[in-house]
Structure formats: structure tokens, C-alpha cells
């Protein structure tokens, strides 16, 4: 079945993406149209604006993905689409687009869990076997997963409140930096002194792999206010030091919890995915943890860490190989936990309850 060719469509947050991927792990095209500028004035993703922009751009993204792959719809084996979790208007836009294409072409339709797209990415990039340990760390999610199959995930721990990406975005807003906050905070942190400002490392005193980032955010806000009170404003150096301190605190927490998760993992493989896995300091810290444990470390290239259509096409291929098919009843799901046996985590972020 290695001659499979899938179109993948992604529209669960603020990136409109389409890609064409083959069953033998070749990415023939990957188009990502970011909505960053549309949301810039609002300090975060506005769901209604996102949904409208997806509806307007999806056709074009699909057309470009096919063009760049040099293929027509009739050359494909199937269409995969993110069916959740995410901002419901955007997910619906993608699902409607995919249904239209499937109905018009007669191609099979496969609904994909966005988080499974991230979690299966190391199989696309590195062809690794199941099982493996995955740290999925993004704008709406943060969890350790044992991945045993395309639809077989066991959550080993996760955030009990905010996701790290959400915290990066909030810190950026507090410091008048642009969105998305992660890359902006990373750029400031590059020339900052992480040791000057002291921030907590939440939940490290508790056993297990659960994490918390909400208190860290509040602590950073207090430090910002203290610096403003002291100097009558936030100086450039203060901003850089605060970014460095925050990034280091997140990195320390993720590293220590990864160390514990690896100790519990049945195989010595640590893979990371999701937007926050694009952070250089965090990647380096996790790589060190893996090296210390004698484990293999896998981190996808940056463009495959953040949201993209290729991971959805690939997850679609994996599900298709398992015999999974959807039809016109495929529904958009705002919430869709990967591990259906696990209790929902506490807290609610921009993408709803932590799955
Ligand atoms: O996976 P993703 O593209 O979308 C979600 O599914 O959430 O992740 C987006 C998140 C944003 O919160 C963004 O600030 C964060 O990933 N991010 C980063 C970096 N690049 C993106 N966080 C820290 N450092 C980065 N370099
Ligand atoms: Zn994502």
C-alpha cells in the first residue's frame, strides 16, 4: 500500500494548511497560510475571524498543494482532514471543504485528530516503529503520550492548567511583544540573563509527569510589575531577562518531567512535537535528557512542529491503512482526547479543556 498519496487539510487554529504526502513518507507539497496578521490587533486568535479566513483560503491552499505536487485530485488515494480538536468554526470549514472534495471526486475521506497528527509526525519524518514516548507540547496542549499505534495513545501525564504555548503567548502580550508569543519570547531571550529574575518551577516537587504553567505566568507578571514600579517602565534589558527567565523555567519543567516520563517509558525513545517543540532551548534541554537516559531523541524540523497539512495527510494514511474510512456524517469535534480511557485534565485553555 506504499503507493498511497493523500491530501491533508488542517484548519483547527490559525493556520490554513494543505499538503500532499505519500505512503512511503515523501512530502510532495506543504502549503501553510498563516493568519497571524489578521489577529495581530486582538492579542490572540479570534475564532470568528479564523473560521472566516479558513473558509476563504482553504480552496486556494488545496489548489496550491496539488499544483506544487504536480498532481490532480484524480491522482490521489484519499483525503484526510482535521476533524478536531480545535476552534470549532475552523474545524468545520476544513471538514466541509474535505467532504466537498471527497463527494466530488469519489475519493475516500479520513477524519484525523489534530493531536494524532502531531503525535505521529516522527513516523513520517523518521519512520520510527511503535511504541515510543511523545511529548506533545503546543499552544493548546501539553501531554506525555505512549504511542502504541495510529489510534492507540496512553496519556502518562499532562498540564493541569495552561499549555506552555499559551503561556508563551501570554508572556509576550504582557511584554508588548507580537503574537505568536513563542518565537518573539525566544528572540528576546537570546540576549537575556535567565538567572537575574527568579521564577518558580511548578509541580517539580510532586511525583509523576503532570505539569502546571499558570502559576509561572502569574509569577512572571508580578516580576514584570515589580520591574516597572522600580524603574518607571520596562527597560529593554528587563524584557530580555524576563523572557530568558521564563523560557528557562518552562524548559526546566519540561526537561525534568521528560526525564521521569522516559524512566517510565517501555522504550528508550523520546519524540517531541507541537509548536513549542520549535523552541531551540527547549529542544536542546530535551535532547540532553534523552542523551543522559541513553534514549533516542526525535524532533521534527521546525515547519513540521507547528501546524501543517503534512502531518494530517500522514495521520490519514496511517488510519486508512488500518481500514478507517469516514463518510458524509463526519463531524467536527471541538474536543477529542487522544487517550479515551484517561480522565479529562483540569483547566481550560484557548482550545477548551485539556485533552
Ligand atoms: O502546534 P501549534 O502550531 O498550534 C497548536 O496546535 O497549538 O503551536 C502553536 C504554539 C503557539 O502558542 C506558539 O507561541 C508556540 O507554539 N511556539 C513556540 C515557538 N514557536 C511556536 N513556543 C516557544 N518557542 C518557539 N520557538
Ligand atoms: Zn497543533
Amino acid at each position: 500500500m506504499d503507493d498511497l498519496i493523500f491530501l491533508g487539510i488542517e484548519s483547527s487554529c490559525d493556520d490554513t494548511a494543505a499538503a500532499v504526502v505519500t505512503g512511503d513518507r515523501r512530502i510532495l507539497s506543504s502549503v501553510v497560510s498563516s493568519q497571524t496578521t489578521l489577529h495581530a490587533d486582538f492579542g490572540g486568535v479570534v475564532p470568528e475571524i479564523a473560521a472566516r479566513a479558513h473558509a476563504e483560503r482553504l480552496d486556494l491552499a488545496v489548489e496550491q498543494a496539488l499544483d506544487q505536487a504536480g498532481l490532480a485530485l484524480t491522482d490521489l488515494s484519499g483525503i484526510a482532514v482535521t476533524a478536531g480538536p480545535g476552534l470549532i468554526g475552523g474545524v468545520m470549514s476544513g471538514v466541509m471543504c474535505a467532504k466537498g472534495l471527497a463527494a466530488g471526486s469519489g475519493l475516500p475521506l479520513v477524519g484525523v485528530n489534530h493531536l494524532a497528527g502531531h503525535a505521529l509526525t516522527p513516523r513520517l519524518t523518521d519512520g520510527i516503529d511503535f511504541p515510543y514516548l511523545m511529548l506533545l507540547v503546543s499552544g493548546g496542549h501539553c501531554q506525555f503520550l505512549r504511542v502504541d499505534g495510529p489510534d492507540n495513545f496512553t496519556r502518562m501525564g499532562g498540564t493541569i492548567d495552561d499549555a506552555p504555548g499559551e503561556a508563551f503567548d501570554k508572556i509576550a502580550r504582557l511584554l508588548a511583544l507580537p503574537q505568536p508569543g513563542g518565537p518573539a519570547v525566544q528572540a528576546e531571550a537570546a540576549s537575556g540573563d535567565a538567572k537575574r529574575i527568579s521564577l518558580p518551577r511548578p509541580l517539580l516537587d510532586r511525583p509523576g509527569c503532570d505539569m502546571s504553567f499558570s502559576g509561572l505566568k502569574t509569577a512572571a507578571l508580578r516580576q514584570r510589575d515589580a520591574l516597572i514600579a522600580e524603574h518607571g517602565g520596562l527597560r529593554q534589558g528587563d524584557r530580555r531577562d524576563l523572557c530568558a527567565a521564563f523560557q528557562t523555567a518552562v524548559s526546566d519543567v519540561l526537561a525534568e518531567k521528560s526525564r521521569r516520563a522516559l524512566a517510565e517509558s517501555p522504550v528508550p525513545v523520546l519524540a517531541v512535537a507541537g509548536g513549542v517543540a520549535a523552541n531551540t532551548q527547549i529542544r536542546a534541554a530535551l535532547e540532553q535528557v534523552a542523551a543522559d537516559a541513553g534514549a533516542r531523541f526525535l524532533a521534527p524540523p521546525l515547519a513540521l512542529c507547528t501546524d501543517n497539512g503534512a502531518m494530517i495527510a500522514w495521520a490519514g494514511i496511517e488510519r486508512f491503512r488500518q481500514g478507517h474510512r469516514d463518510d458524509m456524517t463526519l463531524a467536527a469535534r471541538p474536543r477529542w482526547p487522544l487517550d479515551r480511557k484517561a480522565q479529562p485534565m483540569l483547566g481550560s485553555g484557548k482550545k477548551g479543556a485539556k485533552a
Side-chain angles (χ1 to χ4, degrees):
M1 288 238 275
D2 269 356
D3 51 354
L4 291 176
I5 307 179
F6 261 66
L7 172 70
I9 296 175
E10 157 61 33
S11 58
S12 66
C13 192
D14 58 348
D15 290 306
T16 312
V20 178
V21 173
T22 68
D24 58 358
R25 305 198 287 113
R26 284 176 297 129
I27 299 172
L28 301 184
S29 65
S30 183
V31 174
V32 180
S33 162
S34 163
Q35 300 179 3
T36 305
T37 50
L38 295 181
H39 303 286
D41 290 345
F42 303 96
V45 178
V46 183
E48 290 76 11
I49 295 177
R52 179 175 288 267
H54 286 307
E56 285 168 359
R57 296 169 177 203
L58 274 162
D59 288 1
L60 189 61
V62 168
E63 204 176 299
Q64 286 176 345
L66 288 171
D67 269 3
Q68 287 175 22
L71 295 175
L73 208 50
T74 46
D75 297 319
L76 302 177
S77 329
I79 297 171
V81 61
T82 300
L87 300 172
I88 189 66
V91 179
M92 282 171 69
S93 300
V95 168
M96 295 301 286
C97 173
K99 280 183 183 174
L101 290 170
S105 62
L107 288 170
L109 174 70
V110 180
V112 166
N113 183 312
H114 174 86
L115 302 172
H118 281 302
L120 296 171
T121 297
R123 296 200 14 103
L124 167 63
T125 54
D126 296 84
I128 58 164
D129 292 329
F130 298 116
Y132 54 92
L133 172 66
M134 155 67 50
L135 168 59
L136 176 52
V137 63
S138 72
H141 298 274
C142 180
Q143 51 191 318
F144 288 103
L145 294 163
R146 179 185 147 149
V147 185
D148 283 289
D151 199 20
N152 189 351
F153 304 92
T154 307
R155 195 183 64 213
M156 297 167 68
T159 181
I160 60 166
D161 42 51
D162 294 347
E166 209 173 342
F168 267 101
D169 294 341
K170 183 71 189 290
I171 294 298
R173 269 196 293 283
L174 295 177
L175 299 176
L177 295 170
Q179 297 292 316
V185 169
Q186 170 167 303
E188 291 288 310
S191 50
D193 174 5
K195 297 211 177 69
R196 188 180 139 223
I197 296 165
S198 150
L199 290 174
R201 307 291 189 261
L203 292 197
L204 283 198
D205 53 340
R206 270 206 238 158
C209 302
D210 283 346
M211 292 160 279
S212 160
F213 296 96
S214 162
L216 179 56
K217 215 172 59 185
T218 312
L221 171 64
R222 293 222 179 84
Q223 293 283 12
R224 180 203 70 165
D225 291 346
L227 287 164
I228 291 175
E230 196 180 326
H231 304 294
L234 202 63
R235 300 173 305 178
Q236 178 80 326
D238 295 337
R239 186 181 286 122
R240 289 183 183 150
D241 293 347
L242 203 46
C243 285
F246 173 77
Q247 186 173 276
T248 302
V250 174
S251 175
D252 284 355
V253 171
L254 291 175
E256 172 56 22
K257 296 289 178 171
S258 298
R259 195 183 60 73
R260 293 182 198 175
L262 254 183
E264 284 177 36
S265 168
V267 282
V269 180
L270 173 63
V272 293
V276 179
N279 185 282
T280 319
Q281 182 179 356
I282 293 171
R283 274 168 103 93
L286 298 173
E287 191 167 8
Q288 189 59 52
V289 167
D292 292 346
R296 185 169 173 205
F297 179 68
L298 293 163
L302 299 192
L304 294 176
C305 282
T306 47
D307 290 348
N308 64 86
M311 68 180 191
I312 302 305
W314 176 256
I317 288 173
E318 295 242 31
R319 292 201 93 194
F320 186 80
R321 280 181 179 150
Q322 286 202 315
H324 186 94
R325 310 283 183 274
D326 283 296
D327 58 22
M328 292 300 137
T329 61
L330 175 66
R333 300 168 66 171
R335 295 180 185 185
W336 185 357
L338 276 180
D339 181 351
R340 290 180 293 275
K341 305 170 296 296
Q343 293 293 313
M345 300 296 287
L346 298 173
S348 182
K350 71 178 182 192
K351 289 190 177 174
K354 299 293 171 281

